[in-house]
Structure formats: structure tokens, C-alpha cells
Amino acid sequence: MSTSGCSEAPAVPVEFLHGVASGDPEETAVIIWTRATATAEVSLLWQVAKDEYFDEIVSEGEASAKPSSDYTVKVDVRGLEPGKSYFYRFLSGETVSPVGRTRTLASKDATKLRLGVISCSHYGFGFYNVYRELAKEPHLDAIVHLGDYIYEYGPDGYGGDVAKEIGREHEPPHEIVTLEDYRTRFSQYRRDADLQAAHAAAPFITIWDDHETANNSWSGGAQNHQPDTEGKWETRRDAALRAYFEWMPMRDPKPGESFYRLHRTYKMGELATLHLIETRLTARSAEVSYDDDMVYFETAYDISNPAAPVALSEEEARSLPPPQIVRVKTPWRESDGTAETDYAKAREWADTGLPGGYFYKPDLERFRTEVLGNPARKFLGDEQMSWIGGELKASRARNVPWQILGNQVIMARMDAPDYTVAFPPEVIDPAIRDNEYTRRWVERTRLRLPINPGAWDGYPVSRQLFYDAVREAEANLVVLTGDSHQFWANDLRETPGGRRIGVEFGTSSVSSKGGYDYLAADPRVYDIAEETLLREVPEIVYCDTRHRGYILLEIDAEAVEAEYKAVSTVRSRDYTVSSLKRLRVTREGPGSLSDIVPV
């Protein structure tokens, strides 16, 4: 094995405790990464070779590990051949890093692509058995990580109870807010041997979701950020993203570019283009709350005689000038479901709260139109929408068969089934008896609103604009999705029951707990949930609500196949792996795809 240039002992001792990684591949270039555990700036030798023994080195050089970048090192290795595998390592004196395998993007004559698709890798919720299995997959062109690579919580936050149980408590032992906090958290994750193995097996293509900054982040803040105690949101956001770019094997933003406006296209030979676009921090409006933002039925009153307001029908109200009309939330009697239209009572209760025996009824049509459907609410900004539309068109102009979107959250329409009816009391009662949040979530499904208002469902105007761009480009759209901690295959329709606009393959989590796990005091919950979702949500073709795992995506000119692979547990290192399902979609022409069918 050649170790040219590394015999002289360095002035500063170095260890490579965080392994190596590669990512952000291009046809003739790739980023290689490591971190030197050192006490001062140190120079490293890097090498890239055609063979794992480094007998045929094709590129090498020196790079500095500096305190200013947390001793992380990234090298943009250029001049490589398209569609080729390479091996790389770093050296400091006689100390040699682990060896990683990387690969440039496919050449123009490539006939098949093979991608791993993963998401949501909470360190405390379980062991990284999914990463371990993904590292064993042969011939991967790349691993696409769709976000929630790290989580920001402290020991008393989300996943803290499980972390204590299995001995994987977060470092530092508090919610992370500062640059040093985020660096420490990345360092902990990257010391995991299974994550290191996955990084060493193939180049990563990555996009963040919310937990790389804070839960339910948007352009102006986050649900899990409290300015009064945690400072300005922009300061925390920028610290989180600085650590992200230091610790992830990806190119930094170009000079003048904002860190949080990430969008990139990966040209994979003549088979596919993979488009990644940031949907959290650039333009997204705050997520709606079904509690705080709900719209309720109102009664209109004619107040032309203030001493004797008169309740009106909607038709009557429309015939009067606005100054004569006032609207007040309508109290409904629980005993018989009739409206209380006494103006004095309605106004008093609107201020003081309803007495026992009354309730306010949600006006779901107005809520969907005026709140969810408010055109001012953004998921993607205008510049982002223009960019993705242009990239889709450019891909189709080159006659590329597949346009793939690396996407963080579910795109398909998913109105919640009424689980108060679907789940028998003996199945659901044990789960909701002592858990107020879960009980309220189940009860809210009566409304049949979107399961997750933080997904595209919560921004239907932006989704329709994106669908317009897909249709205009005649793209053969395949959406890859993370976030939900469950497996999905979805039939994306331009309008409910209308023209197919694309398909969506959603991966489960690496380790993060699934939502239905909170209901599964009785294991029948999973079967009932899956059967109900498939029966009542038209765009769902396949779902699995119980497993952790990843998707293996195989692409050729005519078809995309998704294999859903799962591990039996993440609470133990003793596990098995299985293939749950293989699904296939084919091209029928520009902008036209077949049904998703089993293989």
C-alpha cells in the first residue's frame, strides 16, 4: 500500500474518530470529507485511487483541518471519470483514516442507476441498523438523505425516554442552540460506526428538513424556538447551517449565496435528473394550527337597531350593506345540536368562553379555503418555483426519461380517516386513556382534515403551482419523500381524482419513532390503520406504518422500481432485515406514467 508523503510525524497528534465521507457528486468531481481530532491546525494528505489498496492513485493533495471549521476537511476532487467508483483516504504521518468508496455521477451511456433513499435518523430512538444494512447494498450510485439527519432535542425532549433506556442519550445534554452545540451534536452522530459505514460505502446527496435547525421550522422561526430564552431565530438558524455545511460532505454555497437557499440538480447520465430544493427556511409560511387557526360557523346579525339585533340567514346577510352586519361565532347546544342565536349570549360567550353544554362547530369549507388555501401562504417562493420549473424543462429538453424530486415532506393529498370510527374502543382506548396529545389527535380525525398540515397538504396553492410547472414541462415526475417515519407509495393527481401528475415513493425513518407507534398499545392498530388509509385515502397505493427502513431505488430508461426494505427492530443490535414490497412505474410518454404496480 502506497503511503507516499505521510512518513514524517506531524507536530500535532491526529485521530480520525469520525470516519470519512463523500458526497455532492458530479460527473467528473466529488467532495471527500473527514474530521481530524486534533488540538491545533494540522495539514492532512488526501488520496483518491482507482483501487482500495491505493496502488493506482489518480489524485492527491494537502488540506488543512482548522479550528475555524471545527477541524473538518472537505476537498472538491475534480478531473475524475464519469460513472466510476473510486477509493479515498486521509493521512497524517503514520495515521491513516478509514478508506471510503465514492462514485461520480453516471456516464451518458449508463443503463441503470441504483440509489438508497433514507430519512429521519434520531440518535436516541434506536441503533442505526438501517445505516448498517444500507452500507451492505452493492453497486450504489448514491445515498439520498432527505432530512432530519440530526435532531435538536435535549434529554427531556422528543425521544429522551427511549434514549435513556437504550443508552443513547444526546450530547450535549440539552437542546442545541449555539454553533458549539450543533457541532457537538454532529460529532456524536458521526462517531456512530454504522453511520460511518454508510458514509464510507457511497456518496451522500443531502437536503435538510426541520430538525437540523429546530422542529417545524419555517422562514421566520420554528415551533421549537423561543426567542425570549433562545435568542434571535436567524442567529440559531445560521449557527445550525454553518455546522451542517461543516459536517456534511457537500459543497458550500457560492460566494454571495445564502446558506439557507439550497437548490441543486444532479444530472445522472441520460437516465434521470435529481432535483433538491429547500422547503423550510427560504420562503415557507408558518404551519397552520387546527386549534389556533380554526374557522368556526358564525351567525350574521342585523345591528341597524343596536337595541334589538336580528339573526339573519346568509342570503339575507348578503343583501344588506356591510356596516349593518356583524358576525359572531355560533354556539351550538350539545343536547340537540341546534344553534343559539341570542345575540347577547353569543357576544358574551365569545369573550368569556362557552358555558357547559355548548360547543363551537368548525366551518371546514371556509377553513380549507380561507386558511389552508390562502394564496399568501407559501411553501416555495416565487424564485424557487421558477427555478424548479426551469430545471424540469431543461431536463425534458435533453430528453431525459425521469425527473426526480428529492423532497422532505409528503406531497400526496392525505385527509385523515375518522379513526374514532375505524378503531374499535378496545383497540384505541388503551393508547389514548393517559395521553392527552394522542387522544386529541384521534378525536381531531373526525374533521377529515389533512393528516399533516406541515406537509404539502397545508399549502395547497403552492402544490398546485408546482403541479402546473410539472405539467408545463411534461415531466415524468418521481417524488422521493422523507419525514413521516412510514413507508408510502402515492399516486399524485393534479386534482382529486383527476389527471396523474407523478408518483411519490416515501421512505420510513432510519430510527425515529413512527406516529402510529404511539397508538399501538394494541398491535392491531397497525393493520387497522393501513387498511383504513388504503380504503379511504384515494392517492395512497401502498403504506406500511410500523417499520423502520429505507428504499432501494433502481432506475432504467423505461421504469423506476422501489424496493421497501425494513429492519425488525432498532431497539437492539440483534435484528433481521426483510423486503416488504417492490413496486414499479413505467413511462407511457412525456408527462404520462403508468399505474404503480407490484413487481
mmCIF file of all heavy atoms in Angstrom, residues 209 219 277-285 375-382 384-385 405 407-411 453-463 465-466:
data_model
loop_
_atom_site.group_PDB
_atom_site.id
_atom_site.type_symbol
_atom_site.label_atom_id
_atom_site.label_comp_id
_atom_site.label_asym_id
_atom_site.label_seq_id
_atom_site.Cartn_x
_atom_site.Cartn_y
_atom_site.Cartn_z
ATOM 1 N N ASP A 209 -34.247 18.911 6.561
ATOM 2 C CA ASP A 209 -35.649 19.190 6.831
ATOM 3 C C ASP A 209 -35.672 20.162 8.017
ATOM 4 O O ASP A 209 -34.899 21.119 8.017
ATOM 5 C CB ASP A 209 -36.416 17.889 7.086
ATOM 6 C CG ASP A 209 -37.934 18.077 7.070
ATOM 7 O OD1 ASP A 209 -38.416 19.087 6.544
ATOM 8 O OD2 ASP A 209 -38.647 17.206 7.587
ATOM 9 N N SER A 219 -39.677 30.066 7.460
ATOM 10 C CA SER A 219 -38.781 31.169 7.109
ATOM 11 C C SER A 219 -38.602 32.177 8.235
ATOM 12 O O SER A 219 -37.584 32.870 8.285
ATOM 13 C CB SER A 219 -39.293 31.880 5.853
ATOM 14 O OG SER A 219 -40.590 32.424 6.061
ATOM 15 N N ILE A 277 -34.566 20.783 -3.498
ATOM 16 C CA ILE A 277 -34.904 22.171 -3.242
ATOM 17 C C ILE A 277 -35.297 22.332 -1.783
ATOM 18 O O ILE A 277 -36.025 21.510 -1.225
ATOM 19 C CB ILE A 277 -36.019 22.651 -4.198
ATOM 20 C CG1 ILE A 277 -36.210 24.163 -4.101
ATOM 21 C CG2 ILE A 277 -37.325 21.905 -3.948
ATOM 22 C CD1 ILE A 277 -36.998 24.745 -5.243
ATOM 23 N N GLU A 278 -34.796 23.388 -1.168
ATOM 24 C CA GLU A 278 -35.022 23.670 0.238
ATOM 25 C C GLU A 278 -36.453 24.170 0.432
ATOM 26 O O GLU A 278 -36.882 25.111 -0.233
ATOM 27 C CB GLU A 278 -34.020 24.735 0.688
ATOM 28 C CG GLU A 278 -33.788 24.828 2.162
ATOM 29 C CD GLU A 278 -34.931 25.504 2.892
ATOM 30 O OE1 GLU A 278 -35.429 26.540 2.410
ATOM 31 O OE2 GLU A 278 -35.339 24.984 3.936
ATOM 32 N N THR A 279 -37.201 23.561 1.364
ATOM 33 C CA THR A 279 -38.595 23.955 1.561
ATOM 34 C C THR A 279 -38.901 24.388 2.991
ATOM 35 O O THR A 279 -40.069 24.531 3.345
ATOM 36 C CB THR A 279 -39.548 22.797 1.185
ATOM 37 O OG1 THR A 279 -39.323 21.686 2.065
ATOM 38 C CG2 THR A 279 -39.356 22.359 -0.246
ATOM 39 N N ARG A 280 -37.906 24.627 3.788
ATOM 40 C CA ARG A 280 -38.129 25.006 5.181
ATOM 41 C C ARG A 280 -37.831 26.475 5.456
ATOM 42 O O ARG A 280 -38.647 27.194 6.020
ATOM 43 C CB ARG A 280 -37.257 24.141 6.106
ATOM 44 C CG ARG A 280 -37.809 22.766 6.370
ATOM 45 C CD ARG A 280 -38.976 22.822 7.318
ATOM 46 N NE ARG A 280 -39.577 21.489 7.495
ATOM 47 C CZ ARG A 280 -40.707 21.287 8.152
ATOM 48 N NH1 ARG A 280 -41.354 22.295 8.690
ATOM 49 N NH2 ARG A 280 -41.198 20.078 8.267
ATOM 50 N N LEU A 281 -36.647 26.926 5.082
ATOM 51 C CA LEU A 281 -36.108 28.171 5.610
ATOM 52 C C LEU A 281 -36.155 29.333 4.632
ATOM 53 O O LEU A 281 -35.994 30.483 5.033
ATOM 54 C CB LEU A 281 -34.647 27.951 6.048
ATOM 55 C CG LEU A 281 -34.431 26.779 7.013
ATOM 56 C CD1 LEU A 281 -32.945 26.577 7.268
ATOM 57 C CD2 LEU A 281 -35.175 27.009 8.319
ATOM 58 N N THR A 282 -36.381 29.058 3.366
ATOM 59 C CA THR A 282 -36.303 30.115 2.359
ATOM 60 C C THR A 282 -37.575 30.941 2.282
ATOM 61 O O THR A 282 -37.548 32.163 2.338
ATOM 62 C CB THR A 282 -35.989 29.510 0.979
ATOM 63 O OG1 THR A 282 -34.785 28.741 1.063
ATOM 64 C CG2 THR A 282 -35.830 30.595 -0.072
ATOM 65 N N ALA A 283 -38.724 30.271 2.147
ATOM 66 C CA ALA A 283 -39.961 31.005 1.873
ATOM 67 C C ALA A 283 -41.169 30.472 2.621
ATOM 68 O O ALA A 283 -42.227 31.108 2.619
ATOM 69 C CB ALA A 283 -40.247 30.973 0.367
ATOM 70 N N ARG A 284 -41.063 29.317 3.247
ATOM 71 C CA ARG A 284 -42.228 28.664 3.841
ATOM 72 C C ARG A 284 -42.909 29.551 4.889
ATOM 73 O O ARG A 284 -42.261 30.124 5.760
ATOM 74 C CB ARG A 284 -41.806 27.351 4.506
ATOM 75 C CG ARG A 284 -42.969 26.594 5.152
ATOM 76 C CD ARG A 284 -42.479 25.536 6.112
ATOM 77 N NE ARG A 284 -42.083 24.311 5.456
ATOM 78 C CZ ARG A 284 -42.723 23.152 5.567
ATOM 79 N NH1 ARG A 284 -43.826 23.074 6.292
ATOM 80 N NH2 ARG A 284 -42.276 22.081 4.971
ATOM 81 N N SER A 285 -44.233 29.636 4.801
ATOM 82 C CA SER A 285 -45.030 30.290 5.832
ATOM 83 C C SER A 285 -45.181 29.346 7.021
ATOM 84 O O SER A 285 -45.020 28.133 6.901
ATOM 85 C CB SER A 285 -46.414 30.644 5.291
ATOM 86 O OG SER A 285 -46.323 31.483 4.156
ATOM 87 N N PRO A 375 -53.781 32.229 -0.663
ATOM 88 C CA PRO A 375 -52.662 32.339 -1.618
ATOM 89 C C PRO A 375 -51.421 32.996 -1.041
ATOM 90 O O PRO A 375 -50.332 32.826 -1.586
ATOM 91 C CB PRO A 375 -53.261 33.198 -2.750
ATOM 92 C CG PRO A 375 -54.733 33.088 -2.603
ATOM 93 C CD PRO A 375 -54.990 32.919 -1.132
ATOM 94 N N ALA A 376 -51.571 33.747 0.047
ATOM 95 C CA ALA A 376 -50.407 34.395 0.650
ATOM 96 C C ALA A 376 -49.509 33.409 1.383
ATOM 97 O O ALA A 376 -48.346 33.722 1.668
ATOM 98 C CB ALA A 376 -50.865 35.495 1.619
ATOM 99 N N ARG A 377 -50.029 32.220 1.686
ATOM 100 C CA ARG A 377 -49.229 31.217 2.397
ATOM 101 C C ARG A 377 -48.358 30.480 1.389
ATOM 102 O O ARG A 377 -48.841 29.946 0.395
ATOM 103 C CB ARG A 377 -50.121 30.233 3.147
ATOM 104 C CG ARG A 377 -50.976 30.912 4.227
ATOM 105 C CD ARG A 377 -51.695 29.890 5.096
ATOM 106 N NE ARG A 377 -50.728 29.132 5.883
ATOM 107 C CZ ARG A 377 -50.383 27.877 5.653
ATOM 108 N NH1 ARG A 377 -50.932 27.217 4.659
ATOM 109 N NH2 ARG A 377 -49.498 27.279 6.410
ATOM 110 N N LYS A 378 -47.059 30.440 1.649
ATOM 111 C CA LYS A 378 -46.084 29.893 0.701
ATOM 112 C C LYS A 378 -45.445 28.627 1.250
ATOM 113 O O LYS A 378 -45.183 28.507 2.450
ATOM 114 C CB LYS A 378 -44.984 30.915 0.429
ATOM 115 C CG LYS A 378 -45.459 32.242 -0.143
ATOM 116 C CD LYS A 378 -45.846 32.107 -1.594
ATOM 117 C CE LYS A 378 -46.127 33.491 -2.196
ATOM 118 N NZ LYS A 378 -46.539 33.389 -3.612
ATOM 119 N N PHE A 379 -45.172 27.711 0.344
ATOM 120 C CA PHE A 379 -44.314 26.562 0.624
ATOM 121 C C PHE A 379 -42.986 26.754 -0.094
ATOM 122 O O PHE A 379 -41.918 26.575 0.474
ATOM 123 C CB PHE A 379 -45.001 25.279 0.159
ATOM 124 C CG PHE A 379 -44.367 24.015 0.661
ATOM 125 C CD1 PHE A 379 -44.562 23.600 1.964
ATOM 126 C CD2 PHE A 379 -43.573 23.229 -0.160
ATOM 127 C CE1 PHE A 379 -43.984 22.433 2.445
ATOM 128 C CE2 PHE A 379 -42.994 22.056 0.299
ATOM 129 C CZ PHE A 379 -43.201 21.654 1.605
ATOM 130 N N LEU A 380 -43.070 27.126 -1.366
ATOM 131 C CA LEU A 380 -41.915 27.551 -2.148
ATOM 132 C C LEU A 380 -42.116 29.010 -2.529
ATOM 133 O O LEU A 380 -43.237 29.437 -2.819
ATOM 134 C CB LEU A 380 -41.765 26.716 -3.421
ATOM 135 C CG LEU A 380 -41.471 25.226 -3.269
ATOM 136 C CD1 LEU A 380 -41.486 24.550 -4.634
ATOM 137 C CD2 LEU A 380 -40.124 25.006 -2.594
ATOM 138 N N GLY A 381 -41.023 29.770 -2.556
ATOM 139 C CA GLY A 381 -41.103 31.143 -3.005
ATOM 140 C C GLY A 381 -41.159 31.240 -4.518
ATOM 141 O O GLY A 381 -40.970 30.254 -5.242
ATOM 142 N N ASP A 382 -41.414 32.437 -5.020
ATOM 143 C CA ASP A 382 -41.538 32.638 -6.465
ATOM 144 C C ASP A 382 -40.243 32.263 -7.189
ATOM 145 O O ASP A 382 -40.279 31.635 -8.253
ATOM 146 C CB ASP A 382 -41.910 34.091 -6.760
ATOM 147 C CG ASP A 382 -43.298 34.460 -6.229
ATOM 148 O OD1 ASP A 382 -44.092 33.528 -5.968
ATOM 149 O OD2 ASP A 382 -43.572 35.667 -6.080
ATOM 150 N N GLN A 384 -37.941 30.173 -6.168
ATOM 151 C CA GLN A 384 -37.788 28.725 -6.102
ATOM 152 C C GLN A 384 -38.681 28.037 -7.128
ATOM 153 O O GLN A 384 -38.258 27.090 -7.805
ATOM 154 C CB GLN A 384 -38.134 28.221 -4.703
ATOM 155 C CG GLN A 384 -37.141 28.593 -3.620
ATOM 156 C CD GLN A 384 -37.596 28.069 -2.278
ATOM 157 O OE1 GLN A 384 -38.653 28.450 -1.786
ATOM 158 N NE2 GLN A 384 -36.811 27.193 -1.676
ATOM 159 N N MET A 385 -39.928 28.490 -7.224
ATOM 160 C CA MET A 385 -40.846 27.881 -8.176
ATOM 161 C C MET A 385 -40.349 28.073 -9.602
ATOM 162 O O MET A 385 -40.436 27.155 -10.436
ATOM 163 C CB MET A 385 -42.236 28.488 -8.005
ATOM 164 C CG MET A 385 -43.357 27.660 -8.589
ATOM 165 S SD MET A 385 -43.673 26.107 -7.684
ATOM 166 C CE MET A 385 -44.546 26.730 -6.245
ATOM 167 N N LEU A 405 -37.646 14.398 -7.840
ATOM 168 C CA LEU A 405 -37.571 15.463 -6.845
ATOM 169 C C LEU A 405 -37.242 14.867 -5.495
ATOM 170 O O LEU A 405 -37.968 14.012 -4.986
ATOM 171 C CB LEU A 405 -38.905 16.217 -6.757
ATOM 172 C CG LEU A 405 -38.941 17.365 -5.736
ATOM 173 C CD1 LEU A 405 -38.066 18.528 -6.199
ATOM 174 C CD2 LEU A 405 -40.367 17.840 -5.490
ATOM 175 N N ASN A 407 -37.464 15.384 -1.863
ATOM 176 C CA ASN A 407 -38.470 16.204 -1.201
ATOM 177 C C ASN A 407 -38.580 15.785 0.261
ATOM 178 O O ASN A 407 -38.505 14.605 0.579
ATOM 179 C CB ASN A 407 -39.805 15.984 -1.937
ATOM 180 C CG ASN A 407 -41.003 16.509 -1.200
ATOM 181 O OD1 ASN A 407 -41.152 17.702 -1.005
ATOM 182 N ND2 ASN A 407 -41.879 15.596 -0.792
ATOM 183 N N GLN A 408 -38.794 16.756 1.143
ATOM 184 C CA GLN A 408 -38.764 16.445 2.558
ATOM 185 C C GLN A 408 -40.071 15.865 3.087
ATOM 186 O O GLN A 408 -40.058 14.971 3.925
ATOM 187 C CB GLN A 408 -38.414 17.706 3.360
ATOM 188 C CG GLN A 408 -37.019 18.234 3.106
ATOM 189 C CD GLN A 408 -36.960 19.208 1.933
ATOM 190 O OE1 GLN A 408 -37.779 19.190 1.021
ATOM 191 N NE2 GLN A 408 -35.966 20.062 1.951
ATOM 192 N N VAL A 409 -41.220 16.402 2.677
ATOM 193 C CA VAL A 409 -42.493 16.056 3.313
ATOM 194 C C VAL A 409 -43.497 15.553 2.281
ATOM 195 O O VAL A 409 -43.382 15.833 1.095
ATOM 196 C CB VAL A 409 -43.080 17.260 4.088
ATOM 197 C CG1 VAL A 409 -42.174 17.640 5.245
ATOM 198 C CG2 VAL A 409 -43.315 18.457 3.172
ATOM 199 N N ILE A 410 -44.498 14.811 2.758
ATOM 200 C CA ILE A 410 -45.462 14.150 1.884
ATOM 201 C C ILE A 410 -46.142 15.156 0.957
ATOM 202 O O ILE A 410 -46.633 16.202 1.386
ATOM 203 C CB ILE A 410 -46.532 13.408 2.719
ATOM 204 C CG1 ILE A 410 -45.889 12.225 3.461
ATOM 205 C CG2 ILE A 410 -47.682 12.930 1.846
ATOM 206 C CD1 ILE A 410 -45.448 11.090 2.573
ATOM 207 N N MET A 411 -46.188 14.808 -0.340
ATOM 208 C CA MET A 411 -46.812 15.661 -1.343
ATOM 209 C C MET A 411 -48.256 15.253 -1.624
ATOM 210 O O MET A 411 -49.095 16.086 -1.964
ATOM 211 C CB MET A 411 -46.003 15.629 -2.639
ATOM 212 C CG MET A 411 -46.492 16.588 -3.709
ATOM 213 S SD MET A 411 -45.411 16.642 -5.150
ATOM 214 C CE MET A 411 -43.998 17.533 -4.496
ATOM 215 N N PRO A 453 -50.679 19.070 8.495
ATOM 216 C CA PRO A 453 -50.727 20.390 7.861
ATOM 217 C C PRO A 453 -49.351 20.982 7.605
ATOM 218 O O PRO A 453 -49.242 22.025 6.955
ATOM 219 C CB PRO A 453 -51.511 21.233 8.879
ATOM 220 C CG PRO A 453 -51.267 20.566 10.189
ATOM 221 C CD PRO A 453 -51.172 19.089 9.887
ATOM 222 N N GLY A 454 -48.287 20.323 8.102
ATOM 223 C CA GLY A 454 -46.936 20.766 7.798
ATOM 224 C C GLY A 454 -46.395 20.197 6.508
ATOM 225 O O GLY A 454 -45.312 20.577 6.057
ATOM 226 N N ALA A 455 -47.146 19.275 5.871
ATOM 227 C CA ALA A 455 -46.768 18.732 4.576
ATOM 228 C C ALA A 455 -47.360 19.604 3.468
ATOM 229 O O ALA A 455 -47.960 20.648 3.721
ATOM 230 C CB ALA A 455 -47.245 17.294 4.465
ATOM 231 N N TRP A 456 -47.214 19.182 2.210
ATOM 232 C CA TRP A 456 -47.752 19.964 1.093
ATOM 233 C C TRP A 456 -49.260 20.175 1.244
ATOM 234 O O TRP A 456 -49.813 21.158 0.747
ATOM 235 C CB TRP A 456 -47.448 19.258 -0.228
ATOM 236 C CG TRP A 456 -46.027 19.340 -0.695
ATOM 237 C CD1 TRP A 456 -44.984 18.568 -0.276
ATOM 238 C CD2 TRP A 456 -45.482 20.230 -1.671
ATOM 239 N NE1 TRP A 456 -43.826 18.919 -0.928
ATOM 240 C CE2 TRP A 456 -44.108 19.935 -1.798
ATOM 241 C CE3 TRP A 456 -46.025 21.241 -2.464
ATOM 242 C CZ2 TRP A 456 -43.272 20.621 -2.681
ATOM 243 C CZ3 TRP A 456 -45.196 21.920 -3.348
ATOM 244 C CH2 TRP A 456 -43.831 21.620 -3.449
ATOM 245 N N ASP A 457 -49.947 19.258 1.929
ATOM 246 C CA ASP A 457 -51.382 19.416 2.168
ATOM 247 C C ASP A 457 -51.716 20.735 2.855
ATOM 248 O O ASP A 457 -52.827 21.255 2.697
ATOM 249 C CB ASP A 457 -51.886 18.267 3.052
ATOM 250 C CG ASP A 457 -52.637 17.212 2.249
ATOM 251 O OD1 ASP A 457 -53.054 17.499 1.112
ATOM 252 O OD2 ASP A 457 -52.817 16.099 2.773
ATOM 253 N N GLY A 458 -50.807 21.252 3.650
ATOM 254 C CA GLY A 458 -51.047 22.508 4.347
ATOM 255 C C GLY A 458 -50.799 23.726 3.489
ATOM 256 O O GLY A 458 -51.031 24.856 3.939
ATOM 257 N N TYR A 459 -50.346 23.506 2.252
ATOM 258 C CA TYR A 459 -50.011 24.598 1.329
ATOM 259 C C TYR A 459 -50.533 24.254 -0.066
ATOM 260 O O TYR A 459 -49.762 24.156 -1.020
ATOM 261 C CB TYR A 459 -48.502 24.820 1.300
ATOM 262 C CG TYR A 459 -47.889 25.041 2.665
ATOM 263 C CD1 TYR A 459 -47.583 23.961 3.505
ATOM 264 C CD2 TYR A 459 -47.622 26.322 3.137
ATOM 265 C CE1 TYR A 459 -47.039 24.163 4.762
ATOM 266 C CE2 TYR A 459 -47.069 26.531 4.389
ATOM 267 C CZ TYR A 459 -46.785 25.446 5.198
ATOM 268 O OH TYR A 459 -46.240 25.654 6.443
ATOM 269 N N PRO A 460 -51.848 24.046 -0.214
ATOM 270 C CA PRO A 460 -52.378 23.535 -1.485
ATOM 271 C C PRO A 460 -52.169 24.473 -2.668
ATOM 272 O O PRO A 460 -52.074 24.008 -3.812
ATOM 273 C CB PRO A 460 -53.868 23.325 -1.187
ATOM 274 C CG PRO A 460 -54.160 24.208 -0.017
ATOM 275 C CD PRO A 460 -52.916 24.230 0.790
ATOM 276 N N VAL A 461 -52.089 25.777 -2.439
ATOM 277 C CA VAL A 461 -51.850 26.701 -3.553
ATOM 278 C C VAL A 461 -50.454 26.489 -4.123
ATOM 279 O O VAL A 461 -50.258 26.427 -5.344
ATOM 280 C CB VAL A 461 -52.063 28.158 -3.100
ATOM 281 C CG1 VAL A 461 -51.682 29.124 -4.212
ATOM 282 C CG2 VAL A 461 -53.517 28.383 -2.684
ATOM 283 N N SER A 462 -49.457 26.370 -3.245
ATOM 284 C CA SER A 462 -48.093 26.104 -3.718
ATOM 285 C C SER A 462 -48.010 24.759 -4.424
ATOM 286 O O SER A 462 -47.309 24.620 -5.439
ATOM 287 C CB SER A 462 -47.110 26.132 -2.544
ATOM 288 O OG SER A 462 -46.784 27.452 -2.167
ATOM 289 N N ARG A 463 -48.701 23.747 -3.902
ATOM 290 C CA ARG A 463 -48.673 22.432 -4.565
ATOM 291 C C ARG A 463 -49.255 22.530 -5.972
ATOM 292 O O ARG A 463 -48.709 21.946 -6.906
ATOM 293 C CB ARG A 463 -49.434 21.407 -3.738
ATOM 294 C CG ARG A 463 -49.477 20.024 -4.388
ATOM 295 C CD ARG A 463 -50.044 18.979 -3.443
ATOM 296 N NE ARG A 463 -51.368 19.342 -2.961
ATOM 297 C CZ ARG A 463 -51.957 18.767 -1.918
ATOM 298 N NH1 ARG A 463 -51.344 17.797 -1.242
ATOM 299 N NH2 ARG A 463 -53.160 19.154 -1.524
ATOM 300 N N LEU A 465 -49.323 25.167 -7.914
ATOM 301 C CA LEU A 465 -48.361 25.871 -8.764
ATOM 302 C C LEU A 465 -47.232 24.944 -9.192
ATOM 303 O O LEU A 465 -46.778 24.995 -10.344
ATOM 304 C CB LEU A 465 -47.802 27.088 -8.016
ATOM 305 C CG LEU A 465 -48.764 28.257 -7.803
ATOM 306 C CD1 LEU A 465 -48.132 29.302 -6.883
ATOM 307 C CD2 LEU A 465 -49.168 28.886 -9.132
ATOM 308 N N PHE A 466 -46.794 24.102 -8.267
ATOM 309 C CA PHE A 466 -45.758 23.130 -8.640
ATOM 310 C C PHE A 466 -46.293 22.140 -9.671
ATOM 311 O O PHE A 466 -45.618 21.831 -10.653
ATOM 312 C CB PHE A 466 -45.260 22.391 -7.401
ATOM 313 C CG PHE A 466 -44.293 21.281 -7.713
ATOM 314 C CD1 PHE A 466 -43.036 21.557 -8.222
ATOM 315 C CD2 PHE A 466 -44.664 19.944 -7.530
ATOM 316 C CE1 PHE A 466 -42.147 20.531 -8.530
ATOM 317 C CE2 PHE A 466 -43.792 18.925 -7.837
ATOM 318 C CZ PHE A 466 -42.527 19.214 -8.339
#
